[in-house]
Amino acid sequence: MTELDPDDPRPPYQQVANSLRASILTKKLKPGDKLSSQSELAQRYGVARMTIQQALRILREEGLVVSRQGSGVYVRERTERPVGLRPHLERAFEEPEVRIDFAGFSGETLHGALTEPLDKIRSGRVRPELVRVRLLVPDTDVPWTLPARVEDMGDSPEFRKRAAGIMERHTFAIVDAVNEMERIGLIADAKAELRVYPAVPLFKLYLINQLEAFFGYYPVREHVVNLEGADTPIWDLMGKDATLFHHAAEPDEESLSSLFIQQSQMWFDSIWNTVARKVPR
């Protein structure tokens, strides 16, 4: 049993929260680790389960742990690591229904992250019944304020043409790969769709099964690109340098993470259903 300090004036639930927090911050409990059950924690600290629930609520509000219904409480994964998005996508494809919404610049990261779960479907290792993927990227047919030429902050049609090629390569590959799953009979209901909208995103957003969100800002940096044979300095949006922050829905619908996911989904749907347009193939 872990003894609480009887001389500590703080309530027992705060002492328990402090003990668990210390274990998380010192990496004794690592990102992704599952905490002991509430009954086990209550026995360990010699307190009631209600005390444990209060302590866990503090840690959830601090963003240190996340509750997963029917599974338990886990140390929140720090998704600023490059591999942060990939395992969450792979886990999503183990569910009967998979819904992924992406808003960003090119879809390159998502294209790479979807490779493994789609290969698992082809090999029969996972078999969701329904897959829906929606991709929202900027319209390259309209002038951009960013990225822009360094010399005069002007729009570059040549850069937009180059960006269109990158976007089409990754987004069309996703659309074709997902739609093929239904066509060859691997998934009963699979559909991926691409739409563009008349704005350039300064962030990337991934929504997974309406239960998880990954969000990151694009840093703007000077980047020299070759346009029509000339090296051209461009203020560019650097997607690979974006740090992703992870939010997971919690039983409490009023928690910050749950509200962030709800609002992000509402924003995505509002753009998708109003100003976004389908891309002809």
Side-chain angles (χ1 to χ4, degrees), residues 232-244:
T232 306
I234 292 287
W235 291 120
D236 202 356
L237 303 172
M238 309 304 290
K240 293 182 178 180
D241 295 337
T243 296
L244 291 179

Side-chain angles (χ1 to χ4, degrees), residues 158-172:
E158 297 83 7
F159 185 88
R160 281 191 280 115
K161 181 179 179 180
R162 176 180 180 272
I166 297 172
M167 291 178 192
E168 291 172 1
R169 181 164 65 249
H170 295 291
T171 56
F172 285 163

Side-chain angles (χ1 to χ4, degrees), residues 74-272:
Y74 293 78
V75 179
R76 186 183 292 278
E77 295 192 36
R78 302 303 178 189
T79 55
E80 58 269 18
R81 294 173 298 172
V83 297
L85 176 67
R86 190 179 299 267
H88 291 262
L89 277 174
E90 293 179 6
R91 189 157 54 234
F93 275 82
E94 296 173 0
E95 300 295 327
E97 295 189 1
V98 184
R99 298 180 186 274
I100 299 169
D101 290 334
F102 165 76
F105 199 72
S106 70
E108 181 177 359
T109 299
L110 181 61
H111 183 200
L114 284 175
T115 300
E116 180 65 19
L118 293 180
D119 283 345
K120 286 183 178 179
I121 292 173
R122 295 185 185 98
S123 64
R125 287 177 287 171
V126 296
R127 189 60 59 87
E129 300 169 3
L130 178 146
V131 174
R132 288 285 185 274
V133 179
R134 299 190 295 179
L135 309 170
L136 196 56
V137 297
D139 191 343
T140 57
D141 290 339
V142 300
W144 289 350
T145 53
L146 277 174
R149 294 189 300 264
V150 171
E151 60 179 0
D152 59 1
M153 286 297 296
D155 169 63
S156 173
E158 297 83 7
F159 185 88
R160 281 191 280 115
K161 181 179 179 180
R162 176 180 180 272
I166 297 172
M167 291 178 192
E168 291 172 1
R169 181 164 65 249
H170 295 291
T171 56
F172 285 163
I174 293 171
V175 170
D176 291 342
V178 171
N179 291 341
E180 181 189 40
M181 296 292 146
E182 179 179 328
R183 187 168 60 252
I184 63 179
L186 292 178
I187 300 176
D189 190 353
K191 182 179 180 181
E193 186 178 354
L194 168 67
R195 294 187 184 183
V196 297
Y197 70 113
V200 177
L202 298 180
F203 59 85
K204 58 170 64 178
L205 172 68
Y206 305 85
L207 294 165
I208 304 174
N209 285 346
Q210 298 183 329
L211 294 174
E212 294 184 278
F214 288 82
F215 178 90
Y217 290 104
Y218 288 122
V220 177
R221 297 196 173 98
E222 184 173 339
H223 181 211
V224 177
V225 296
N226 189 278
L227 301 176
E228 297 187 340
D231 287 341
T232 306
I234 292 287
W235 291 120
D236 202 356
L237 303 172
M238 309 304 290
K240 293 182 178 180
D241 295 337
T243 296
L244 291 179
F245 295 92
H246 179 225
H247 297 266
E250 300 178 4
D252 179 7
E253 294 184 356
E254 297 302 315
S255 70
L256 290 179
S257 288
S258 295
L259 290 172
F260 181 87
I261 294 170
Q262 294 168 19
Q263 293 300 310
S264 297
Q265 191 69 63
M266 288 175 59
W267 173 86
F268 186 97
D269 291 340
S270 70
I271 300 295
W272 186 267

